[in-house]
Amino acid sequence: MIKTRAAISPTGYPHIGTIYQALFDYAFAKRHKGKFIVRIEDTDQARLVKDAEKKVFSALDWFRLEEDESPRKGGPNGPYRQSERLDIYKKYAQELVEKGNAYYCFCSKERLDEVRKKLQAEGKIPMYDKHCRNSKDQKLKIKTGEPYVVRLKVPENKKIVVKDEIRGEIEFNSSEVDDQILLKSDGFPTYFLAVVVDDHLMEVTHMVRGEEWLPSSPKIALLYDFFGWEKPYFIHTPIIRNPDKSKFSKRQGHTNVSWYQEQGYLPEAILNYLALMGWSHPEGKEIFSREEFIRLFDFKDIHAVGPIFDLTKLEWMNGEYIRKAKISNLKFLIFNFYNKKYSEELIGKTVPLIQERIKKLSDYLPLCEFFFQKPEKYEVDISEKKVMLQKVAETISALADWKADVIGEKMQESAKNLGIKNSEFFMTLRVAITGKKISPPLNESMEILGKKECLKRIKNIM
Ligand code: GLU
Ligand code: ZN
């Protein structure tokens, strides 16, 4: 049984990078009829953000990345929140100490700071100096209640080979690997211990993480070997980048899922776009459904090069999804996007006029607000056009058949009779009706607004 997991730290708002990771986990698990787990990694208590977990789940729900096991769903290998698993980590840390693969460290913060400063001054990578590695009185110190951490005992002079499914074998030298803290003095595990214990106990078969975690993989591999557990496949996905190739950040882009919701991006379009970050469709297709992606996706086809997040392209893609949407569906999306403030029925009538024109749901109102309220200001001064508007009002009043094509015909006729150029005539009329120089097709808009309302708006200027 294939099992993947999204290991999410609830330390902030739901990040688009988290969704990107989760998408791959989800698609791979679904493709193989496996399970997708969401685990909450809340062991760094100082960085916890209230409500972050709730927001992560509502973001996953918005994208319909439905998990099989999680804190809210339960599952056979819970709990799925790391803060509820402390005794499990403690037990395994103990086991490593007993086997001689980990040791207690009693060094004070001051001592560690000194060691770090000294190494930095010598231009070396700051690492723990293994001071407590061979101390004899460990048991005694613990008895007397001295605070301690548990550290990984990294073997000396050893080649550690890690196999990544995208990058192949990567060799590390153990001298570059720190005697990492596994269990902190407050009884919380660090990421390294927790991730190995949990992935093992939760029967994760594919450990999919962002490539920024790659440097931790020798420690992860050592832990699996020390425990005598079979390793999952290691897969490090390329991280999304800003246009300047730096890691995708809020300073250069929009990383918060809620921004995309506020802008009226469609979750399916975002997922389609994210799928293309690092993966390409075998037929070179750019637009494909979630089902198609699930059917085709394999980690083998991921490129290791960092994909660049291109908002313009996403916007284009979103527009494609809007164009493809059923009118009834788009009506519903727009209605909800504006918190049900505008008549759903009226939105429905306007959708065919603007479906080709909008790229995001938030483009709707600037284009269509005039359907819901009369113009408050006019983009062009048409106060000098009273004679023309008077004639138009008369023509309209006499019109029995209020249909876009009839309106169009009659208006053309009026323009001719008045000896006004079409472009000028319709610009004036458009501004009178909508307040704007650019609007959805005018005749159709007038039909929707109704004869009475159109007359009212024209008279408003006179
Ligand atoms: N908890 C880590 C994070 O939030 C995930 C790393 C992993 O997937 O193992 O980034
Ligand atoms: Zn120490």
PDB file of all heavy atoms in Angstrom, residues 120-131:
ATOM      1  N   GLN A 120      32.991  29.635  14.127  1.00  0.00           N
ATOM      2  CA  GLN A 120      32.693  30.668  13.130  1.00  0.00           C
ATOM      3  C   GLN A 120      33.906  31.546  12.884  1.00  0.00           C
ATOM      4  O   GLN A 120      34.231  31.871  11.740  1.00  0.00           O
ATOM      5  CB  GLN A 120      31.499  31.517  13.577  1.00  0.00           C
ATOM      6  CG  GLN A 120      30.185  30.965  13.045  1.00  0.00           C
ATOM      7  CD  GLN A 120      28.965  31.580  13.701  1.00  0.00           C
ATOM      8  OE1 GLN A 120      29.073  32.244  14.737  1.00  0.00           O
ATOM      9  NE2 GLN A 120      27.813  31.353  13.117  1.00  0.00           N
ATOM     10  N   ALA A 121      34.581  31.909  13.989  1.00  0.00           N
ATOM     11  CA  ALA A 121      35.770  32.756  13.875  1.00  0.00           C
ATOM     12  C   ALA A 121      36.846  32.056  13.051  1.00  0.00           C
ATOM     13  O   ALA A 121      37.624  32.683  12.331  1.00  0.00           O
ATOM     14  CB  ALA A 121      36.300  33.105  15.257  1.00  0.00           C
ATOM     15  N   GLU A 122      36.894  30.725  13.154  1.00  0.00           N
ATOM     16  CA  GLU A 122      37.891  29.969  12.376  1.00  0.00           C
ATOM     17  C   GLU A 122      37.396  29.704  10.944  1.00  0.00           C
ATOM     18  O   GLU A 122      38.049  28.982  10.192  1.00  0.00           O
ATOM     19  CB  GLU A 122      38.165  28.622  13.063  1.00  0.00           C
ATOM     20  CG  GLU A 122      38.932  28.759  14.379  1.00  0.00           C
ATOM     21  CD  GLU A 122      38.898  27.462  15.188  1.00  0.00           C
ATOM     22  OE1 GLU A 122      38.453  26.414  14.648  1.00  0.00           O
ATOM     23  OE2 GLU A 122      39.317  27.505  16.366  1.00  0.00           O
ATOM     24  N   GLY A 123      36.247  30.231  10.632  1.00  0.00           N
ATOM     25  CA  GLY A 123      35.698  30.044   9.282  1.00  0.00           C
ATOM     26  C   GLY A 123      35.154  28.647   9.049  1.00  0.00           C
ATOM     27  O   GLY A 123      35.033  28.189   7.916  1.00  0.00           O
ATOM     28  N   LYS A 124      34.819  27.944  10.138  1.00  0.00           N
ATOM     29  CA  LYS A 124      34.285  26.580   9.986  1.00  0.00           C
ATOM     30  C   LYS A 124      32.770  26.570  10.174  1.00  0.00           C
ATOM     31  O   LYS A 124      32.201  27.499  10.741  1.00  0.00           O
ATOM     32  CB  LYS A 124      34.927  25.658  11.023  1.00  0.00           C
ATOM     33  CG  LYS A 124      36.412  25.439  10.771  1.00  0.00           C
ATOM     34  CD  LYS A 124      36.969  24.425  11.745  1.00  0.00           C
ATOM     35  CE  LYS A 124      38.472  24.306  11.607  1.00  0.00           C
ATOM     36  NZ  LYS A 124      39.142  24.124  12.894  1.00  0.00           N
ATOM     37  N   ILE A 125      32.142  25.484   9.691  1.00  0.00           N
ATOM     38  CA  ILE A 125      30.694  25.362   9.869  1.00  0.00           C
ATOM     39  C   ILE A 125      30.428  25.106  11.351  1.00  0.00           C
ATOM     40  O   ILE A 125      31.043  24.223  11.953  1.00  0.00           O
ATOM     41  CB  ILE A 125      30.122  24.152   9.090  1.00  0.00           C
ATOM     42  CG1 ILE A 125      30.767  24.062   7.696  1.00  0.00           C
ATOM     43  CG2 ILE A 125      28.599  24.225   9.006  1.00  0.00           C
ATOM     44  CD1 ILE A 125      30.534  22.710   7.034  1.00  0.00           C
ATOM     45  N   PRO A 126      29.553  25.866  11.956  1.00  0.00           N
ATOM     46  CA  PRO A 126      29.267  25.639  13.368  1.00  0.00           C
ATOM     47  C   PRO A 126      28.607  24.276  13.596  1.00  0.00           C
ATOM     48  O   PRO A 126      27.578  23.972  13.002  1.00  0.00           O
ATOM     49  CB  PRO A 126      28.296  26.771  13.746  1.00  0.00           C
ATOM     50  CG  PRO A 126      27.987  27.513  12.511  1.00  0.00           C
ATOM     51  CD  PRO A 126      28.719  26.928  11.367  1.00  0.00           C
ATOM     52  N   MET A 127      29.275  23.449  14.409  1.00  0.00           N
ATOM     53  CA  MET A 127      28.721  22.138  14.751  1.00  0.00           C
ATOM     54  C   MET A 127      28.996  21.876  16.222  1.00  0.00           C
ATOM     55  O   MET A 127      29.902  22.469  16.799  1.00  0.00           O
ATOM     56  CB  MET A 127      29.395  21.038  13.908  1.00  0.00           C
ATOM     57  CG  MET A 127      28.877  21.051  12.487  1.00  0.00           C
ATOM     58  SD  MET A 127      29.363  19.747  11.360  1.00  0.00           S
ATOM     59  CE  MET A 127      30.303  18.576  12.152  1.00  0.00           C
ATOM     60  N   TYR A 128      28.252  20.972  16.786  1.00  0.00           N
ATOM     61  CA  TYR A 128      28.500  20.602  18.175  1.00  0.00           C
ATOM     62  C   TYR A 128      29.857  19.884  18.256  1.00  0.00           C
ATOM     63  O   TYR A 128      30.196  19.070  17.387  1.00  0.00           O
ATOM     64  CB  TYR A 128      27.364  19.699  18.663  1.00  0.00           C
ATOM     65  CG  TYR A 128      27.566  19.227  20.069  1.00  0.00           C
ATOM     66  CD1 TYR A 128      27.677  20.149  21.116  1.00  0.00           C
ATOM     67  CD2 TYR A 128      27.668  17.875  20.371  1.00  0.00           C
ATOM     68  CE1 TYR A 128      27.880  19.721  22.419  1.00  0.00           C
ATOM     69  CE2 TYR A 128      27.858  17.433  21.668  1.00  0.00           C
ATOM     70  CZ  TYR A 128      27.974  18.367  22.687  1.00  0.00           C
ATOM     71  OH  TYR A 128      28.184  17.949  23.967  1.00  0.00           O
ATOM     72  N   ASP A 129      30.612  20.181  19.320  1.00  0.00           N
ATOM     73  CA  ASP A 129      31.978  19.622  19.386  1.00  0.00           C
ATOM     74  C   ASP A 129      32.052  18.238  20.047  1.00  0.00           C
ATOM     75  O   ASP A 129      33.116  17.779  20.419  1.00  0.00           O
ATOM     76  CB  ASP A 129      32.917  20.608  20.097  1.00  0.00           C
ATOM     77  CG  ASP A 129      32.523  20.796  21.560  1.00  0.00           C
ATOM     78  OD1 ASP A 129      31.442  20.278  21.956  1.00  0.00           O
ATOM     79  OD2 ASP A 129      33.276  21.440  22.304  1.00  0.00           O
ATOM     80  N   LYS A 130      30.924  17.611  20.221  1.00  0.00           N
ATOM     81  CA  LYS A 130      30.855  16.224  20.720  1.00  0.00           C
ATOM     82  C   LYS A 130      31.371  16.071  22.151  1.00  0.00           C
ATOM     83  O   LYS A 130      31.758  14.979  22.571  1.00  0.00           O
ATOM     84  CB  LYS A 130      31.638  15.283  19.773  1.00  0.00           C
ATOM     85  CG  LYS A 130      31.194  15.453  18.331  1.00  0.00           C
ATOM     86  CD  LYS A 130      31.760  14.428  17.404  1.00  0.00           C
ATOM     87  CE  LYS A 130      30.997  14.518  16.109  1.00  0.00           C
ATOM     88  NZ  LYS A 130      31.668  14.347  14.906  1.00  0.00           N
ATOM     89  N   HIS A 131      31.367  17.187  22.859  1.00  0.00           N
ATOM     90  CA  HIS A 131      31.881  17.225  24.222  1.00  0.00           C
ATOM     91  C   HIS A 131      31.313  16.115  25.119  1.00  0.00           C
ATOM     92  O   HIS A 131      32.042  15.483  25.876  1.00  0.00           O
ATOM     93  CB  HIS A 131      31.546  18.606  24.813  1.00  0.00           C
ATOM     94  CG  HIS A 131      31.954  18.795  26.224  1.00  0.00           C
ATOM     95  ND1 HIS A 131      33.266  19.007  26.608  1.00  0.00           N
ATOM     96  CD2 HIS A 131      31.226  18.810  27.373  1.00  0.00           C
ATOM     97  CE1 HIS A 131      33.314  19.152  27.910  1.00  0.00           C
ATOM     98  NE2 HIS A 131      32.090  19.035  28.407  1.00  0.00           N
TER      99      HIS A 131
END
